[in-house]
Amino acid sequence: GAVVSQHPSWVICKSGTSVKIECRSLDFQATTMFWYRQFPKQSLMLMATSNEGSKATYEQGVEKDKFLINHASLTLSTLTVTSAHPEDSSFYICSPTSGGVVKEADTQYFGPGTRLTVL
Amino acid sequence: AQKITQTQPGMFVQEKEAVTLDCTYDTSDQSYGLFWYKQPSSGEMIFLIYQGSYDEQNATEGRYSLNFQKARKSANLVISASQLGDSAMYFCAMRDSGAGSYQLTFGKGTKLSVIP
């Protein structure tokens, strides 16, 4: 399977600070990046979709000014949680895909996730 | 309406026995893909198996098989010869064109516990 890395794997921060999460696809070019959030004992919820070099498309209810996504290269995407609050504590997972348009059959691989705890 | 429904929040299975995890889906597309992922306590999402809507045969990958019943819109995962390492959360997911970006939509998951 594809090799995807996320950094950091876990982070604890104070309320009001910003946290940047990096996602790298190590062995393929990620033209599309999906960012998911998973609260404890819940399923993955898509936050946003970004294509390399374009602005991200956010799902309903996700604040684009709070969750800044940058996808400036084919191997790196970042998610910045700005002015984090305790309710932002969650598990954030990136999922890069290659190819121009994701097809139904394309296997989707995931990063190992970043556990964010906001005090 | 939910696109992916997993009705079993938790399941127990004896080691070496087989277990079936249920998944039903809802889509109006003719072409779609169904996936199963395993999420151990570490959090990583591990791809297990894929079934395409046009595939006539049920998908198999080692100890994993997918019981695909298109008319019933069900895609149950069967794990044979359960091992202790199979204890994890299991998510059923679907990709169709409904959302426009071919994103995966996940079910709520089933927590499988394998008993020695």
Side-chain angles (χ1 to χ4, degrees):
Chain A
V3 180
V4 184
S5 71
Q6 267 185 253
H7 178 79
S9 55
W10 60 269
V11 57
I12 301 173
C13 70
K14 292 183 178 180
S15 185
T17 60
S18 294
V19 175
K20 179 184 283 188
I21 301 170
E22 292 186 350
C23 175
R24 295 181 184 272
S25 56
L26 302 180
D27 58 352
F28 70 99
Q29 295 185 326
T31 52
T32 300
M33 183 70 74
F34 299 99
W35 282 96
Y36 290 84
R37 178 169 55 183
Q38 185 181 27
F39 291 110
K41 299 186 179 180
Q42 294 190 23
S43 187
L44 279 72
M45 296 299 294
L46 182 67
M47 297 176 66
T49 304
S50 70
N51 293 309
E52 185 263 337
S54 303
K55 287 186 177 180
T57 301
Y58 291 81
E59 296 299 301
Q60 194 172 12
V62 178
E63 301 174 57
K64 62 180 180 180
D65 294 330
K66 181 171 187 59
F67 299 98
L68 303 179
I69 292 172
N70 184 289
H71 191 177
S73 80
L74 290 171
T75 58
L76 173 65
S77 177
T78 60
L79 167 67
T80 301
V81 183
T82 63
S83 187
H85 290 283
E87 58 265 30
D88 299 324
S89 298
S90 187
F91 192 57
Y92 293 87
I93 311 173
C94 66
S95 179
T97 64
S98 61
V101 176
V102 178
K103 300 294 193 298
E104 290 90 344
D106 290 341
T107 299
Q108 193 163 324
Y109 295 96
F110 292 82
T114 296
R115 199 166 299 279
L116 171 64
T117 302
V118 184
L119 303 177
Chain B
Q2 278 187 319
K3 294 189 88 171
I4 297 287
T5 302
Q6 294 181 252
T7 58
Q8 307 152 313
M11 289 279 287
F12 289 91
V13 63
Q14 202 76 38
E15 193 178 5
K16 300 181 183 178
E17 296 292 313
V19 63
T20 298
L21 306 184
D22 295 342
C23 173
T24 58
Y25 59 92
D26 182 28
T27 181
S28 57
D29 282 9
Q30 296 300 311
S31 181
Y32 51 89
L34 298 159
F35 302 77
W36 277 92
Y37 286 86
K38 172 184 178 182
Q39 187 180 43
S41 57
S42 61
E44 61 180 317
M45 295 291 286
I46 302 169
F47 167 73
L48 295 179
I49 196 167
Y50 165 81
Q51 179 85 43
S53 57
Y54 291 117
D55 294 341
E56 295 186 351
Q57 290 196 336
N58 287 340
T60 60
E61 289 285 350
R63 294 188 298 113
Y64 304 108
S65 60
L66 201 152
N67 184 358
F68 182 45
Q69 299 188 44
K70 194 170 182 177
R72 294 185 178 183
K73 292 189 175 179
S74 75
N76 299 338
L77 176 70
V78 180
I79 305 174
S80 62
S82 297
Q83 302 172 357
L84 295 179
D86 294 335
S87 295
M89 282 292 291
Y90 288 81
F91 291 97
C92 179
M94 178 176 68
R95 179 186 285 128
D96 61 7
S97 64
S101 63
Y102 289 96
Q103 68 211 35
L104 278 179
T105 301
F106 287 86
K108 292 187 175 182
T110 295
K111 184 175 182 179
L112 177 67
S113 299
V114 180
I115 305 168

